[in-house]
Amino acid sequence: MSELSVDHLLGIRGLTRDDLELIFKTASEFKEVLNRPIKKVPSLRDLTVANLFFENSTRTRLSFELAQKRLSADVVNFSAASSSVKKGETLVDTVNNILAMKVDMVVMRHPHPGAHHFLSGKVSTTIINAGDGTHEHPTQALLDAFSLREKLGNDLEGKRIAIVGDIRHSRVALSNILALKLLGAEVRVCGPATLIPKHMISMGVEISHDLDETLIWADVVNMLRIQLERQGDANSIPFFPSIREYTMNFGLTQERLNRLDKQLTILHPGPINRGVEISSEIADSDHSLILNQVENGVATRMAVMYLLAKR
Ligand code: CP
């Protein structure tokens, strides 16, 4: 197979296992390019890509922009905070105005789940989801799986991967579950009951509220940050009593890892709340793939844009 089965990357849902394998193979080729002295190829020389960020980002935004530049695309960046969205312009009008300037592909992060699906039915361009609210973050899941395959080997069949923390508010969790299940891994989510949504039961994943038991079960732990910005206002009922209690029950510490008779591989999508869901000692340890994930994000996003442009 040399082509993706989709015209947009709206989510991991909708992709096939063959799509994932093609993206990983292409990303490996681009990673080899990124390790050369001249890190640039002309693959998207005639393409103009707009990065539309309606929500904050460090890693995803810079990673997409670098990937576009490494592929020789022309790039324009849009930040909602300094745009005419503030004057009341709709999403469709904003995007159609940008497309009128002869833009070929849109990479978008938006706070509303489903914004990309909505947009793909309204405008005529290739759309890549760089995160839609609490729904999906497909390129994060792709780069996470790519990083795991580098570390554990290409076959993730039967590997036990625990996703720990604020599952309720995490787009990374849903995309990771979908990708890892497609690749044959066993997946467990672990966190306080209030932060694990009921629909997880129908996703074929195990559910646990006990981090220590989960660490015994797992080969890999993907630690998610508490999304403090999505925990509601001061009048809402909190999802957990205090940060201190959350860390006592669900924080990954060296003390916890020392009780195991094995080495776990540690993932975190970033940004990290050091000392909350993960200690600095672990985040910076040899078993943490955090910076490998960031490095692999560029090659993975190059692969996604290249393969979608081919269609
Ligand atoms: N992992 C991730 O999406 O990070 P940013 O929010 O900084 O893009």
Side-chain angles (χ1 to χ4, degrees), residues 56-61 109 130 137 140 171-172 269-271 301:
N56 295 343
S57 169
T58 299
R59 280 146 290 271
T60 311
R61 183 175 180 153
R109 172 168 287 189
H137 191 352
Q140 180 70 45
R171 51 192 171 218
V172 174
R301 290 175 174 124

PDB file of all heavy atoms in Angstrom, residues 56-61 109 130 137 140 171-172 269-271 301, ligand 1:
ATOM      1  N   ASN A  56      -3.816  27.245  22.709  1.00  0.00           N
ATOM      2  CA  ASN A  56      -2.361  27.315  22.920  1.00  0.00           C
ATOM      3  C   ASN A  56      -1.654  26.019  22.538  1.00  0.00           C
ATOM      4  O   ASN A  56      -2.232  24.937  22.635  1.00  0.00           O
ATOM      5  CB  ASN A  56      -2.050  27.615  24.387  1.00  0.00           C
ATOM      6  CG  ASN A  56      -2.544  28.987  24.795  1.00  0.00           C
ATOM      7  OD1 ASN A  56      -2.828  29.813  23.934  1.00  0.00           O
ATOM      8  ND2 ASN A  56      -2.651  29.225  26.087  1.00  0.00           N
ATOM      9  N   SER A  57      -0.413  26.150  22.147  1.00  0.00           N
ATOM     10  CA  SER A  57       0.417  24.980  21.826  1.00  0.00           C
ATOM     11  C   SER A  57       1.876  25.407  21.775  1.00  0.00           C
ATOM     12  O   SER A  57       2.189  26.508  21.323  1.00  0.00           O
ATOM     13  CB  SER A  57       0.003  24.415  20.463  1.00  0.00           C
ATOM     14  OG  SER A  57       0.944  23.449  20.038  1.00  0.00           O
ATOM     15  N   THR A  58       2.758  24.537  22.223  1.00  0.00           N
ATOM     16  CA  THR A  58       4.197  24.729  22.003  1.00  0.00           C
ATOM     17  C   THR A  58       4.691  23.644  21.052  1.00  0.00           C
ATOM     18  O   THR A  58       5.114  23.922  19.925  1.00  0.00           O
ATOM     19  CB  THR A  58       4.976  24.646  23.336  1.00  0.00           C
ATOM     20  OG1 THR A  58       4.503  25.679  24.191  1.00  0.00           O
ATOM     21  CG2 THR A  58       6.475  24.820  23.114  1.00  0.00           C
ATOM     22  N   ARG A  59       4.611  22.372  21.502  1.00  0.00           N
ATOM     23  CA  ARG A  59       5.167  21.256  20.744  1.00  0.00           C
ATOM     24  C   ARG A  59       4.504  21.072  19.381  1.00  0.00           C
ATOM     25  O   ARG A  59       5.181  21.003  18.343  1.00  0.00           O
ATOM     26  CB  ARG A  59       5.008  19.933  21.516  1.00  0.00           C
ATOM     27  CG  ARG A  59       6.026  19.692  22.596  1.00  0.00           C
ATOM     28  CD  ARG A  59       5.389  18.948  23.740  1.00  0.00           C
ATOM     29  NE  ARG A  59       4.482  19.869  24.384  1.00  0.00           N
ATOM     30  CZ  ARG A  59       4.848  20.685  25.386  1.00  0.00           C
ATOM     31  NH1 ARG A  59       6.040  20.594  25.876  1.00  0.00           N
ATOM     32  NH2 ARG A  59       4.017  21.568  25.900  1.00  0.00           N
ATOM     33  N   THR A  60       3.183  20.960  19.372  1.00  0.00           N
ATOM     34  CA  THR A  60       2.484  20.596  18.138  1.00  0.00           C
ATOM     35  C   THR A  60       2.666  21.669  17.067  1.00  0.00           C
ATOM     36  O   THR A  60       2.937  21.383  15.906  1.00  0.00           O
ATOM     37  CB  THR A  60       0.981  20.384  18.438  1.00  0.00           C
ATOM     38  OG1 THR A  60       0.876  19.533  19.576  1.00  0.00           O
ATOM     39  CG2 THR A  60       0.265  19.764  17.270  1.00  0.00           C
ATOM     40  N   ARG A  61       2.540  22.908  17.500  1.00  0.00           N
ATOM     41  CA  ARG A  61       2.625  24.005  16.546  1.00  0.00           C
ATOM     42  C   ARG A  61       4.028  24.116  15.929  1.00  0.00           C
ATOM     43  O   ARG A  61       4.186  24.197  14.711  1.00  0.00           O
ATOM     44  CB  ARG A  61       2.255  25.304  17.267  1.00  0.00           C
ATOM     45  CG  ARG A  61       2.238  26.484  16.377  1.00  0.00           C
ATOM     46  CD  ARG A  61       1.759  27.698  17.137  1.00  0.00           C
ATOM     47  NE  ARG A  61       1.759  28.829  16.242  1.00  0.00           N
ATOM     48  CZ  ARG A  61       0.969  29.869  16.363  1.00  0.00           C
ATOM     49  NH1 ARG A  61       0.106  29.934  17.323  1.00  0.00           N
ATOM     50  NH2 ARG A  61       1.037  30.862  15.519  1.00  0.00           N
ATOM     51  N   ARG A 109      -5.756  23.439  15.349  1.00  0.00           N
ATOM     52  CA  ARG A 109      -6.094  23.063  16.739  1.00  0.00           C
ATOM     53  C   ARG A 109      -7.274  23.931  17.142  1.00  0.00           C
ATOM     54  O   ARG A 109      -7.273  25.143  16.911  1.00  0.00           O
ATOM     55  CB  ARG A 109      -4.917  23.307  17.676  1.00  0.00           C
ATOM     56  CG  ARG A 109      -5.324  23.118  19.132  1.00  0.00           C
ATOM     57  CD  ARG A 109      -4.150  23.059  20.059  1.00  0.00           C
ATOM     58  NE  ARG A 109      -3.438  21.797  19.936  1.00  0.00           N
ATOM     59  CZ  ARG A 109      -2.467  21.412  20.773  1.00  0.00           C
ATOM     60  NH1 ARG A 109      -2.096  22.201  21.758  1.00  0.00           N
ATOM     61  NH2 ARG A 109      -1.859  20.262  20.610  1.00  0.00           N
ATOM     62  N   ALA A 130      -4.889  18.959  14.720  1.00  0.00           N
ATOM     63  CA  ALA A 130      -3.768  19.118  15.659  1.00  0.00           C
ATOM     64  C   ALA A 130      -4.285  19.179  17.095  1.00  0.00           C
ATOM     65  O   ALA A 130      -3.608  19.702  17.982  1.00  0.00           O
ATOM     66  CB  ALA A 130      -2.988  20.389  15.317  1.00  0.00           C
ATOM     67  N   HIS A 137      -6.301  13.774  19.252  1.00  0.00           N
ATOM     68  CA  HIS A 137      -5.017  14.432  18.924  1.00  0.00           C
ATOM     69  C   HIS A 137      -4.226  13.370  18.135  1.00  0.00           C
ATOM     70  O   HIS A 137      -3.277  12.769  18.657  1.00  0.00           O
ATOM     71  CB  HIS A 137      -4.313  14.831  20.217  1.00  0.00           C
ATOM     72  CG  HIS A 137      -3.132  15.739  20.044  1.00  0.00           C
ATOM     73  ND1 HIS A 137      -2.594  16.066  18.805  1.00  0.00           N
ATOM     74  CD2 HIS A 137      -2.372  16.407  20.967  1.00  0.00           C
ATOM     75  CE1 HIS A 137      -1.564  16.874  18.981  1.00  0.00           C
ATOM     76  NE2 HIS A 137      -1.413  17.094  20.267  1.00  0.00           N
ATOM     77  N   GLN A 140      -0.348  13.147  17.841  1.00  0.00           N
ATOM     78  CA  GLN A 140       0.321  12.783  19.105  1.00  0.00           C
ATOM     79  C   GLN A 140       0.326  11.261  19.265  1.00  0.00           C
ATOM     80  O   GLN A 140       1.345  10.666  19.622  1.00  0.00           O
ATOM     81  CB  GLN A 140      -0.400  13.446  20.282  1.00  0.00           C
ATOM     82  CG  GLN A 140       0.223  13.129  21.638  1.00  0.00           C
ATOM     83  CD  GLN A 140       1.573  13.793  21.846  1.00  0.00           C
ATOM     84  OE1 GLN A 140       1.739  14.968  21.542  1.00  0.00           O
ATOM     85  NE2 GLN A 140       2.554  13.056  22.365  1.00  0.00           N
ATOM     86  N   ARG A 171      -7.492  14.468  25.013  1.00  0.00           N
ATOM     87  CA  ARG A 171      -7.609  14.035  23.608  1.00  0.00           C
ATOM     88  C   ARG A 171      -6.497  13.031  23.279  1.00  0.00           C
ATOM     89  O   ARG A 171      -6.645  12.207  22.392  1.00  0.00           O
ATOM     90  CB  ARG A 171      -7.544  15.245  22.679  1.00  0.00           C
ATOM     91  CG  ARG A 171      -6.359  16.161  22.939  1.00  0.00           C
ATOM     92  CD  ARG A 171      -6.529  17.467  22.194  1.00  0.00           C
ATOM     93  NE  ARG A 171      -5.547  18.462  22.542  1.00  0.00           N
ATOM     94  CZ  ARG A 171      -5.811  19.754  22.648  1.00  0.00           C
ATOM     95  NH1 ARG A 171      -7.023  20.212  22.456  1.00  0.00           N
ATOM     96  NH2 ARG A 171      -4.861  20.616  22.931  1.00  0.00           N
ATOM     97  N   VAL A 172      -5.384  13.143  24.003  1.00  0.00           N
ATOM     98  CA  VAL A 172      -4.272  12.204  23.790  1.00  0.00           C
ATOM     99  C   VAL A 172      -4.710  10.781  24.152  1.00  0.00           C
ATOM    100  O   VAL A 172      -4.371   9.817  23.462  1.00  0.00           O
ATOM    101  CB  VAL A 172      -3.043  12.630  24.631  1.00  0.00           C
ATOM    102  CG1 VAL A 172      -1.935  11.599  24.541  1.00  0.00           C
ATOM    103  CG2 VAL A 172      -2.543  13.992  24.186  1.00  0.00           C
ATOM    104  N   PRO A 269       2.975  13.156  26.962  1.00  0.00           N
ATOM    105  CA  PRO A 269       2.833  13.995  25.764  1.00  0.00           C
ATOM    106  C   PRO A 269       3.287  15.431  25.972  1.00  0.00           C
ATOM    107  O   PRO A 269       3.493  16.167  24.989  1.00  0.00           O
ATOM    108  CB  PRO A 269       1.320  13.952  25.493  1.00  0.00           C
ATOM    109  CG  PRO A 269       0.694  13.657  26.819  1.00  0.00           C
ATOM    110  CD  PRO A 269       1.685  12.793  27.565  1.00  0.00           C
ATOM    111  N   GLY A 270       3.453  15.867  27.251  1.00  0.00           N
ATOM    112  CA  GLY A 270       3.779  17.255  27.526  1.00  0.00           C
ATOM    113  C   GLY A 270       2.533  18.123  27.317  1.00  0.00           C
ATOM    114  O   GLY A 270       1.617  17.716  26.633  1.00  0.00           O
ATOM    115  N   PRO A 271       2.500  19.314  27.891  1.00  0.00           N
ATOM    116  CA  PRO A 271       3.470  19.814  28.852  1.00  0.00           C
ATOM    117  C   PRO A 271       3.374  19.084  30.190  1.00  0.00           C
ATOM    118  O   PRO A 271       2.302  18.647  30.576  1.00  0.00           O
ATOM    119  CB  PRO A 271       3.076  21.305  29.000  1.00  0.00           C
ATOM    120  CG  PRO A 271       1.641  21.383  28.598  1.00  0.00           C
ATOM    121  CD  PRO A 271       1.407  20.287  27.604  1.00  0.00           C
ATOM    122  N   ARG A 301       4.901  14.008  11.553  1.00  0.00           N
ATOM    123  CA  ARG A 301       4.035  15.027  10.907  1.00  0.00           C
ATOM    124  C   ARG A 301       4.461  15.258   9.461  1.00  0.00           C
ATOM    125  O   ARG A 301       3.615  15.510   8.588  1.00  0.00           O
ATOM    126  CB  ARG A 301       4.046  16.304  11.746  1.00  0.00           C
ATOM    127  CG  ARG A 301       3.304  16.064  13.056  1.00  0.00           C
ATOM    128  CD  ARG A 301       3.317  17.179  14.038  1.00  0.00           C
ATOM    129  NE  ARG A 301       2.442  16.834  15.144  1.00  0.00           N
ATOM    130  CZ  ARG A 301       2.807  16.788  16.438  1.00  0.00           C
ATOM    131  NH1 ARG A 301       4.037  17.085  16.793  1.00  0.00           N
ATOM    132  NH2 ARG A 301       1.933  16.436  17.358  1.00  0.00           N
TER     133      ARG A 301
HETATM  134  N1   CP B   1       1.580  17.436  23.357  1.00  0.00           N
HETATM  135  C1   CP B   1       1.027  18.582  22.950  1.00  0.00           C
HETATM  136  O1   CP B   1       0.015  18.606  22.229  1.00  0.00           O
HETATM  137  O2   CP B   1       1.679  19.706  23.374  1.00  0.00           O
HETATM  138  P1   CP B   1       1.285  21.205  22.983  1.00  0.00           P
HETATM  139  O3   CP B   1      -0.047  21.498  23.632  1.00  0.00           O
HETATM  140  O4   CP B   1       2.394  22.071  23.499  1.00  0.00           O
HETATM  141  O5   CP B   1       1.160  21.282  21.489  1.00  0.00           O
END
